[in-house]
């Protein structure tokens, strides 16, 4: 990803020189000439680094630094000034600036410092993302409805068992999240969790992924490969979309479950393994057994402890709570603090059929958050896939269309982006720099979008 810097200085010549230099080094640069512009761009643009002039027409660095730190304290700020003062330097460092440099500064010298700070920033964000992923475990039981509460009670009862678990539910209901929760909170939580999606894998590839192979077992087997079952020893194997598992592989998996033994491809001796199986599918496995697409003995073995994830349309009372939890996560990911729903938008979410379940809800909210100009998402910010809803969920009544042009309901994200850019450009008289500021993106990025979308404007 291209690194981004925000240059805040009230001298156009200074901004031009810095932008030209750093764009030549592969950075995205956006400019602000006042504290007011800097505040807006910092929140919307969320740069990797800020070059900030100490004295501006409507304030100083001491005014901006606390506000920037409150929004994102991980973004380094480098303060430049033509008025060197020891007291001022001490104050800006106390307020959180990384460095305080006197003007004029040699651009190659500045680049060395900027490059080092950007590397520090990249490391900080990696550490933050890792800490967040460890601290923020997704909750598969978010909601207050009866269906989800019964599911949680059942799931807690099977936590410490070693028997296989079969999670069933429509696509997008969160089967993978539930499988992860069962592993982490179960007796094998300290062991490995390995995952494999069985959908679309040819028998040989599926078999070698699960069981591994010896060198020379087949033409392309130039090295020995350890299978996922070995990797998961004393832990959990999660097989997603097990209904798509090829019939040739199914008896070999059954042997693992019944005898705790398996054999690598090209091997003559069995290996012992201790794993717990969690399987998931959106298919009706009982019907698949009836039509001989799935072995009955394997079905009965993996369905010892069945768990059913209800579809989102079956628990509309939970949708506002789930949506706000997703918005809180999106706020952190997108740098849009305070994302929420207006009451009409909440009602629209509850009324929609959600054929894609939680995955579709997340997509609708992310799209609205990216395109909305307000923190409180409105009905007109939402874009539902009504065609899919009619095809996949014809029984529930369709909600009224959101307050937007009917022609926009089935547009792709690129088409929506194109129309929005056209409207902003028209409002700014085709002036790219003003349009880029209004959109909250660098001018160079807007030029790239104009080129890729086939749009034209005046500078």
């Amino acid at each position: 990803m291209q690194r981004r810097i925000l240059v805040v200085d009230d001298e156009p010549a200074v901004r031009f020189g810095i932008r030209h230099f750093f764009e030549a080094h592969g950075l995205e640069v956006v400019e602000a000439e006042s504290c007011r512009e800097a505040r807006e761009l910092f929140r919307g643009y969320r740069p990797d680094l800020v070059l900030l002039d100490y004295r501006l027409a409507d304030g100083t660095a001491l005014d901006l630094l606390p506000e920037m730190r409150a929004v994102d304290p991980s973004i380094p700020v480098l303060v430049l000034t033509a008025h060197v003062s020891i007291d001022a330097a001490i104050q800006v460092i106390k307020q959180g600036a990384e460095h305080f440099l006197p003007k004029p500064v040699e651009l190659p010298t500045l680049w060395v410092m900027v490059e080092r700070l950007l590397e520090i920033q990249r490391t900080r964000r990696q550490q933050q993302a890792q800490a967040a992923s460890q601290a923020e475990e997704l909750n598969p039981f978010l909601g207050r409805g009866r269906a989800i509460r019964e599911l949680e009670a059942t799931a807690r009862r099977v936590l410490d068992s070693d028997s296989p678990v079969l999670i069933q539910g429509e696509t997008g209901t969160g089967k993978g999240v539930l499988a992860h929760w069962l592993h982490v909170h179960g007796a094998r939580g300290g062991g490995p969790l390995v995952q494999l999606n069985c959908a679309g894998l040819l028998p040989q590839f599926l078999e070698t992924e699960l069981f591994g192979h010896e060198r020379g077992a087949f033409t392309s087997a130039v090295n020995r490969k350890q299978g996922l079952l070995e990797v998961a020893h004393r832990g959990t194997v999660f097989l997603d979309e097990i209904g798509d598992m090829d019939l040739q592989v199914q008896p070999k998996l059954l042997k693992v479950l019944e005898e705790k033994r398996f054999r690598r491809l090209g091997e003559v001796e069995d290996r012992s393994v201790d794993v717990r199986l969690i399987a998931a599918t959106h298919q009706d496995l009982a019907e698949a057994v009836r039509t001989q697409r799935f072995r009955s003995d394997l079905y009965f073995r993996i369905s010892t402890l069945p768990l059913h994830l209800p579809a989102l349309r079956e628990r509309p009372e939970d949708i506002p709570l789930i949506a706000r939890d997703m918005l809180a996560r999106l706020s952190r990911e997108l740098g849009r603090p305070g994302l929420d729903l207006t009451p009409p938008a909440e009602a629209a979410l509850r009324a929609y059929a959600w054929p894609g379940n939680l995955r579709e809800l997340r997509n609708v909210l992310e799209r609205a958050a990216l395109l909305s100009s307000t923190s409180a998402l409105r009905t007109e910010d939402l874009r539902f896939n009504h065609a899919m809803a009619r095809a996949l969920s014809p029984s529930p009544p369709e909600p009224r269309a959101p307050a937007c042009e009917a022609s926009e309901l089935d547009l792709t994200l690129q088409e929506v982006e194109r129309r929005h850019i056209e409207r902003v450009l028209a409002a700014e008289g085709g002036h790219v720099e003003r349009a880029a500021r209004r959109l909250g993106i660098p001018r160079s990025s807007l030029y790239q979008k104009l080129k890729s979308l086939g749009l034209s404007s005046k500078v």
Side-chain angles (χ1 to χ4, degrees):
M1 181 181 296
Q2 193 173 21
R3 294 169 296 179
R4 302 166 293 182
I5 64 172
L6 170 61
V7 178
V8 186
D9 199 297
D10 56 3
E11 296 183 39
V14 172
R15 295 198 308 273
F16 174 82
I18 292 176
R19 185 185 76 228
H20 180 75
F21 180 81
F22 284 117
E23 284 182 343
H25 282 75
L27 303 182
E28 283 189 8
V29 181
V30 69
E31 304 172 29
E33 62 181 4
S34 65
C35 290
R36 180 186 61 80
E37 285 187 345
R39 289 186 185 97
E40 295 175 0
L41 289 172
F42 186 84
R43 289 180 178 275
Y45 183 62
R46 197 54 60 90
D48 296 297
L49 182 139
V50 179
L51 291 179
L52 175 60
D53 189 23
Y54 179 80
R55 195 178 304 279
L56 300 165
D58 57 347
T60 69
L62 296 177
D63 300 315
L64 282 174
L65 279 165
E67 299 175 37
M68 290 178 172
R69 295 280 296 173
V71 174
D72 191 338
S74 72
I75 298 176
V77 180
L78 185 58
V79 176
L80 307 176
T81 182
H83 311 281
V84 180
S85 163
I86 298 299
D87 182 61
I90 293 173
Q91 289 300 316
V92 296
I93 296 301
K94 282 185 176 180
Q95 292 290 352
E98 296 286 343
H99 290 286
F100 183 89
L101 295 176
K103 288 182 177 179
V105 60
E106 294 290 334
L107 289 176
T109 302
L110 183 61
W111 168 246
V112 171
M113 186 168 290
V114 165
E115 192 174 32
R116 184 175 65 83
L117 290 176
L118 286 172
E119 180 60 27
I120 292 172
Q121 167 67 349
R122 186 184 67 81
T123 303
R124 283 177 181 171
R125 286 187 169 167
Q126 286 178 342
Q127 292 171 345
Q128 287 174 347
Q130 184 178 6
S133 64
Q134 293 173 349
E136 285 195 42
E137 181 190 351
L138 293 174
N139 180 5
F141 312 114
L142 194 60
R144 304 187 182 93
R146 179 179 178 181
I148 205 68
R149 296 275 61 83
E150 289 179 349
L151 173 64
E152 181 179 10
T154 305
R156 291 189 180 279
R157 286 197 294 270
V158 306
L159 271 180
D160 294 329
S161 171
D162 266 346
S163 297
V165 175
L166 176 62
I167 305 172
Q168 294 178 291
E170 294 180 6
T171 298
T173 49
K175 298 186 288 293
V177 174
L178 178 55
H180 183 267
W181 185 90
L182 288 169
H183 169 74
V184 169
H185 294 273
R188 295 175 178 261
L193 169 66
V194 299
Q195 307 179 47
L196 178 65
N197 191 314
C198 302
L201 287 179
L202 294 173
Q204 182 174 314
F205 291 118
L206 178 58
E207 194 170 352
T208 190
E209 284 296 313
L210 277 175
F211 307 112
H213 62 251
E214 290 294 303
R215 181 179 180 180
F218 46 88
T219 305
S220 59
V222 294
N223 292 304
R224 175 182 295 175
K225 174 182 172 62
Q226 188 179 37
L228 294 180
L229 290 172
E230 289 180 80
V231 176
H233 183 59
R234 296 183 179 173
T236 305
V237 173
F238 172 47
L239 297 182
D240 200 6
E241 298 303 342
I242 195 171
D244 291 317
M245 178 175 283
D246 190 271
L247 283 167
Q248 298 178 39
V249 183
Q250 291 179 26
K252 299 180 180 181
L253 176 62
L254 181 62
K255 179 179 179 179
V256 174
L257 298 177
E258 293 185 336
E259 303 177 14
K260 297 188 181 299
R261 293 185 297 115
F262 73 97
R263 188 177 297 175
R264 285 180 180 173
L265 272 73
E267 196 172 39
V268 295
E269 294 183 0
D270 284 347
R271 294 173 179 266
S272 298
V273 69
D274 175 20
V275 296
R276 186 191 193 183
L277 173 70
I278 300 177
T281 182
H282 72 282
Q283 299 186 33
D284 183 345
L285 286 189
E287 175 63 18
V289 169
R290 190 185 69 79
T291 57
Q292 298 184 349
R293 291 180 292 110
F294 201 85
R295 292 176 61 104
S296 60
D297 48 5
L298 179 59
Y299 170 65
F300 293 127
R301 188 69 185 92
I302 66 175
S303 60
T304 305
L305 301 173
L307 297 175
H308 176 74
L309 271 167
L312 197 54
R313 65 178 174 276
E314 296 172 2
R315 49 188 187 119
E317 68 278 5
D318 293 337
I319 290 176
L321 181 63
I322 296 170
R324 286 191 166 87
D325 179 73
M326 289 181 175
L327 285 175
R329 297 176 188 277
L330 285 169
S331 293
R332 293 187 287 273
E333 293 173 15
L334 302 176
R336 295 275 318 267
L339 287 174
D340 202 354
L341 297 166
T342 61
E346 179 180 317
L349 293 180
R350 288 178 59 116
Y352 183 57
W354 298 112
N357 292 292
L358 296 174
R359 188 176 296 121
E360 185 184 5
L361 175 59
R362 160 84 187 204
N363 289 344
V364 167
L365 293 175
E366 183 173 3
R367 181 173 180 161
L370 286 168
L371 298 180
S372 175
S373 58
T374 63
S375 294
L377 303 183
R378 304 158 299 179
T379 310
E380 54 265 34
D381 295 321
L382 306 175
R383 298 290 186 272
F384 300 121
N385 192 334
H386 291 277
M388 183 181 290
R390 285 192 296 269
L392 300 183
S393 303
S395 53
E398 267 195 29
R400 292 187 63 182
C404 61
E405 297 180 22
S407 61
E408 291 188 358
L409 290 175
D410 297 318
L411 294 180
T412 65
L413 183 57
Q414 185 181 48
E415 291 165 339
V416 171
E417 183 181 48
R418 178 191 178 93
R419 290 192 177 191
H420 184 56
I421 290 175
E422 285 178 329
R423 286 193 288 264
V424 172
L425 277 170
E428 295 295 343
H431 196 287
V432 174
E433 186 161 2
R434 290 200 299 266
R437 288 185 182 180
R438 190 163 178 173
L439 290 166
I441 62 175
R443 184 176 61 176
S444 58
S445 295
L446 181 53
Y447 274 121
Q448 292 173 1
K449 288 182 180 295
L450 292 175
K451 184 177 180 180
S452 64
L453 296 171
L455 299 174
S456 60
S457 66
K458 67 180 183 180
V459 179

